[in-house]
């Protein structure tokens, strides 16, 4: 951006160039002065400290021993912080009903609208699905302007669902991995300003010494729920050539997030790369996996289907005679979205208007 401005400046007279720079600076100052975000919760010397940006000004509060945070400003409601960190499961038993959504990308309002329409949360945004299970199949970070609100909402729903006998699981997508390891190329401009006001790079706001950073590093990347396997991108056909150990895959990603230099290890580099579970697109883009390879994957994983996000579709779609279901239905754009629902022994597309449409088993 700076280089483009300098090149552009060389093509205009000095007075106009100075006015351009002053205009850009004023725009940034106005934007920063109106900025509201938070809380960001830091763990320091055994204590928790919460930070908000309220109309461009930093507000800090010490968190009480019982871990309850009352909102100072912004859209995040009161929070009860976890007293004990629980590592996400690798495998869960079959349940009567579950739902899955992916690629929220900071579109928290649309996510809430969708979950309310499907009666998974109530009008106040609290968990309402009792013993149901909700899987968020990665990519809450980047692109949109309300990713922090979405992360705290999932954090809260996980607590509320657990208390009601249900469950909420967030899986790590490629954008979670990117932000946690300092790759900020898709970060919304709002969060660039937030990081500057907090005096840290944005990835440091989710370091292991923060509440959300520690919580995210305890999440899974692949999860088996009964007869369904969930992961953000997909499993490459090479996984069919050997036993699939979900716990080992999840442990490798957690180790990488704690020590990114592990990427020098060829096995880790492959796992976190384009053919790994958070980036793979081979069910939809060339060279596509064959039906035989997908069937071999399902057999090796002992599941009926693999549910993935990452590759955007016009709507939730079934591929490989139902062996792969793509659920990234465009929430990231802030205009449309769906979630996959399993209930009454059937799979449904849950729509924004509250309807549920039976999922057609495609042959693509």
């Amino acid at each position: 951006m700076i280089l483009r401005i300098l090149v552009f400046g060389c093509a205009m007279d000095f007075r106009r160039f100075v006015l351009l720079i002053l205009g850009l600076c004023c725009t940034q100052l106005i934007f920063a002065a109106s900025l509201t975000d938070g809380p960001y919760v830091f763990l320091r010397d055994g204590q928790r400290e919460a930070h908000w940006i309220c109309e461009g000004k930093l507000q800090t509060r010490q968190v009480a021993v019982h871990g309850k945070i009352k909102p100072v400003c912004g859209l995040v409601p009161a929070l009860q912080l976890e007293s004990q960190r629980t590592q996400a499961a690798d495998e869960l038993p079959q349940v009567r009903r579950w739902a899955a959504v992916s690629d929220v990308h900071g579109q928290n309002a649309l996510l809430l609208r969708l979950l309310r329409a499907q009666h998974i949360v109530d009008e106040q945004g609290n968990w309402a699905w009792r013993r149901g299970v909700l899987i968020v199949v990665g990519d809450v970070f980047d692109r949109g302007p309300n990713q922090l609100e979405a992360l705290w909402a999932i954090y809260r729903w996980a607590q509320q669902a657990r208390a009601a006998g249900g469950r909420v699981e967030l899986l790590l997508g490629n954008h979670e991995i990117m932000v946690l390891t300092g790759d900020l190329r898709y970060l919304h401009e709002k969060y660039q300003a937030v990081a500057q006001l907090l005096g840290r790079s944005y990835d440091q706001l989710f370091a292991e010494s923060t509440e959300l950073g520690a919580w995210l590093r305890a999440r899974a990347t692949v999860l088996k729920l009964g007869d369904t396997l969930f992961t953000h991108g997909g499993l490459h056909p090479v996984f069919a050539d050997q036993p699939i150990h979900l716990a080992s895959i999840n442990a490798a990603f957690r180790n990488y997030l704690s020590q990114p230099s592990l990427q020098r290890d060829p096995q880790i580099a492959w796992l976190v790369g384009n053919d790994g579970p958070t980036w793979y697109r081979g069910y939809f883009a060339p060279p596509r996996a064959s039906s035989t390879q997908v069937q071999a994957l399902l057999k090796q994983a002992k599941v009926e289907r693999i549910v993935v996000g990452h590759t955007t579709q016009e709507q939730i779609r079934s591929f490989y005679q139902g062996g792969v279901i793509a659920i990234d239905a465009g929430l990231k754009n802030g205009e449309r979205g769906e979630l996959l629902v399993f209930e009454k022994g059937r799979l449904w597309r849950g729509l924004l208007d509250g309807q549920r449409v039976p999922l057609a088993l495609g042959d693509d």
Side-chain angles (χ1 to χ4, degrees):
M1 173 62 79
I2 292 173
L3 180 59
R4 289 202 298 267
I5 291 171
L6 289 175
V7 171
F8 184 55
C10 292
M12 64 171 65
D13 62 69
F14 181 74
R15 180 174 173 275
R16 288 173 62 201
F17 182 59
V18 169
L19 289 173
L20 170 66
I21 296 297
L22 288 173
L24 289 170
C25 291
C26 288
T27 300
Q28 287 296 100
L29 287 172
I30 292 169
F31 176 70
S34 63
L35 187 61
T36 296
D37 194 38
Y40 293 89
V41 181
F42 298 90
L43 315 176
R44 189 173 299 154
D45 299 325
Q47 302 294 317
R48 288 173 168 134
E49 191 174 80
H51 296 253
W52 289 261
I53 303 297
C54 301
E55 296 183 350
K57 297 184 183 301
L58 178 63
Q59 300 284 341
T60 301
R61 299 288 187 275
Q62 295 297 321
V63 179
V65 175
H66 53 72
K68 190 161 187 177
I69 301 179
K70 294 181 179 179
V72 171
C73 63
L75 300 175
V76 177
L79 295 166
Q80 179 67 54
L81 300 183
E82 295 179 350
S83 58
Q84 185 175 343
R85 186 74 55 221
T86 303
Q87 186 168 289
D90 309 305
E91 187 170 345
L92 296 170
Q94 186 68 41
V95 293
R96 293 179 60 189
R97 60 181 183 177
W98 54 258
V101 66
S102 81
D103 295 82
V104 177
H105 282 296
Q107 300 295 343
N108 185 58
L110 192 56
L111 174 65
L112 275 171
R113 181 182 157 197
L114 179 59
L115 296 182
R116 283 174 179 142
Q118 294 297 322
H119 306 292
I120 292 173
V121 302
D122 63 21
E123 287 303 312
Q124 288 71 46
N126 294 312
W127 182 255
W129 219 30
R130 298 185 181 179
R131 295 180 178 274
V133 174
L134 173 65
I135 312 295
V136 182
V137 191
D139 279 11
V140 176
F141 277 101
D142 286 338
R143 293 196 169 98
N146 294 110
Q147 63 186 32
L148 186 69
E149 290 86 346
L151 287 167
W152 281 123
I154 296 165
Y155 181 102
R156 287 175 54 247
W157 294 332
Q159 296 173 334
Q160 294 171 345
R162 190 163 55 243
R167 197 162 189 127
V168 174
E169 293 288 347
L170 168 63
L171 303 185
L172 299 178
N174 60 304
H175 283 265
E176 277 74 42
I177 304 298
M178 289 167 69
V179 170
L180 294 177
T181 56
D183 185 342
L184 307 176
R185 75 184 96 160
Y186 295 104
L187 195 63
H188 191 278
E189 63 177 357
K190 167 185 173 180
Y191 297 109
Q192 297 171 358
V194 166
Q196 188 172 10
L197 288 166
L198 288 172
R200 295 169 170 86
S201 65
Y202 195 73
D203 56 299
Q204 290 176 333
L205 303 182
F206 296 92
E208 287 187 75
S209 58
T210 69
E211 181 68 20
L212 284 176
W215 178 72
L216 285 164
R217 284 169 174 81
R219 301 306 94 208
T221 306
V222 288
L223 171 66
K224 183 177 176 181
L225 172 61
D227 61 1
T228 304
L229 189 143
F230 300 84
T231 192
H232 181 66
L235 292 185
H236 190 280
V238 73
F239 280 101
D241 298 333
Q242 56 195 334
I244 298 173
H245 297 295
L246 303 184
S248 298
I249 296 171
N250 287 328
F253 272 93
R254 291 188 185 110
N255 290 338
Y256 170 65
L257 290 176
S258 295
Q259 192 178 347
S261 62
L262 285 173
Q263 192 172 15
R264 290 194 291 267
D265 181 316
Q267 289 184 331
I268 296 294
W270 185 88
L271 198 63
V272 302
N274 289 340
D275 288 330
T278 62
W279 279 99
Y280 183 61
R281 297 188 193 270
Y283 304 141
F284 319 107
R288 286 190 65 192
S290 68
S291 294
T292 300
Q293 289 174 320
V294 170
Q295 288 304 313
L297 274 172
L298 297 174
K299 183 178 180 180
Q300 189 68 271
K302 299 181 175 62
V303 295
E304 294 292 322
R305 65 190 68 85
I306 300 172
V307 173
V308 301
H310 190 47
T311 304
T312 306
Q313 316 289 329
E314 286 297 316
Q315 62 183 47
I316 290 176
R317 293 185 62 194
S318 170
F319 295 79
Y320 299 96
Q321 296 80 47
V324 172
I325 300 176
I327 66 168
D328 176 1
L331 264 174
K332 68 183 74 172
N333 300 317
E335 298 172 355
R336 59 186 172 89
E338 301 179 2
L339 78 163
L340 180 67
V341 181
F342 174 83
E343 194 165 22
K344 299 178 181 178
R346 296 188 64 180
L347 290 166
W348 310 78
R349 291 168 46 221
L351 309 184
L352 278 166
D353 62 4
Q355 292 187 72
R356 289 188 183 174
V357 178
L359 178 68
L361 298 183
D363 293 327
D364 297 89

